[in-house]
Amino acid sequence: MAISGLGTHSISLFFYVIFATFLHKGAAQTISAQGQNLVTNNVSVVEGETAIISCRVKNNDDSVIQLLNPNRQTIYFRDVRPLKDSRFQLVNFSDNELLVSLSNVSLSDEGRYVCQLYTDPPQEAYADITVLVPPGNPILESREEIVSEGNETEITCTAMGSKPASTIKWMKGDQPLQGEATVEELYDRMFTVTSRLRLTVSKEDDGVAVICIIDHPAVKDFQAQKYLEVQYKPEVQIVVEFPEGLTREGENLELTCKAKGKPQPHQINWLKVDDDFPSHAVITGSDLFIENLNKSYNGTYRCVASNLVGEAYDDYILYVYDVLTTTPPPTNTTISAFQDSRADGAPQKIDHAVIGGIVAVVVFAMLCLLIVLGRYFARHKGTYFTHEAKGADDAADADTAIINAEGGHNNSDDKKEYYI
């Protein structure tokens, strides 16, 4: 057993060990060393924090316990600390346990520590101390600060100087994303990890957080985030301010063009598709006003809005009705871009009251016809009786036939005729 380099105090400990060994030699021969079960545990500790090293013995027979560092130097011999390093402190000592703390752990403290029990033969158990070095604050960088919808952007996240290497995960809102990571080994088993995320953005991504999450055993909830700023072309909608119902001759029409985009549309134009714009139509900003409507104004009116990203439009189909018109004629399908088209000025309605009146007249006429036919058939229904003398055909002359006919009504059968 080498205890060199420990000074005069270590030499005295050496003789004490020899004495203790001979003192317990007889007992060691009768009790199995394996039956004493010397155990310890591996330790992971963050750099700068405190590690606890435990040497435990089951069924100890008063054998001596000591703790050695990775260089096989004695840290503690029973409850005595020969090593002149005040970071090691005794936490607990008994026949069954030697518990030592190591404060302000550094990378140089990493290695295999030895728990040793002086039996015959001696027992050893090994505790590996792993020093964890957390990464620095994550560095989040974006290729562009502002991205137009439909374009691709790249965001990088870097976790520097960690041990072991960090794992980087990505989230966009609640959606997990997959990045491409590269690992660079530095010195003393230190690592820097960089992950690149490429994604195509839409206008719905504007203001959504992209989060870089660092996964490392030395830290928890370590992350950085960036909010996407997305430009998108305008969304256009034409709103009918007046009238509320059908557009009729002689009335006025007022339309408002509502456009929203990022950046806000810098230009809004009105035009009439495939036709000249009415000469007396008034355009004020996003509003269109036409007074005293007539049928020559029928057609499709379009509002076009544009910004730095692009342009979009919405259509309104104008159909001017006669003053007394209640049911509009059928129209073609409305055409629109980027939205459903609207023909707010030409709604098609069915006059259910007129249809109901026609049906009522038809039903009433049919009832009257049935009543007349019933009365006609009732008047032409009757019973007719004929009285023929039985045996008159066999009489020799007319007088005999008359005589035979008298009283013949009682014996003759009634004959009934019906006329329908």
Side-chain angles (χ1 to χ4, degrees), residues 69-182:
N69 66 11
N71 296 324
R72 304 292 294 190
Q73 296 173 328
T74 302
I75 301 173
Y76 267 93
F77 184 85
R78 295 176 63 88
D79 56 349
V80 179
R81 177 167 57 84
L83 192 64
K84 294 181 179 180
D85 189 343
S86 60
R87 295 182 304 145
F88 290 97
Q89 294 294 322
L90 185 65
V91 178
N92 182 51
F93 173 74
S94 67
D95 290 340
N96 297 319
E97 183 181 48
L98 175 61
L99 197 63
V100 177
S101 66
L102 171 59
S103 60
N104 194 22
V105 175
S106 65
L107 283 174
S108 61
D109 296 320
E110 191 172 67
R112 172 165 290 185
Y113 289 74
V114 183
C115 292
Q116 197 171 69
L117 181 65
Y118 281 97
T119 59
D120 187 13
Q123 292 188 56
E124 290 185 352
Y126 305 100
D128 292 325
I129 290 186
T130 302
V131 179
L132 307 176
V133 180
N137 292 329
I139 301 173
L140 201 59
E141 296 177 325
S142 179
R143 189 172 61 191
E144 305 94 358
E145 291 299 322
I146 302 176
V147 191
S148 298
E149 65 172 332
N151 291 346
E152 184 183 75
T153 187
E154 180 179 289
I155 304 174
T156 61
C157 182
T158 304
M160 300 184 64
S162 66
K163 179 180 174 295
S166 302
T167 301
I168 297 179
K169 301 177 182 178
W170 291 95
M171 296 285 291
K172 186 182 75 171
D174 297 331
Q175 177 187 2
L177 300 177
Q178 184 66 42
E180 182 180 346
T182 57

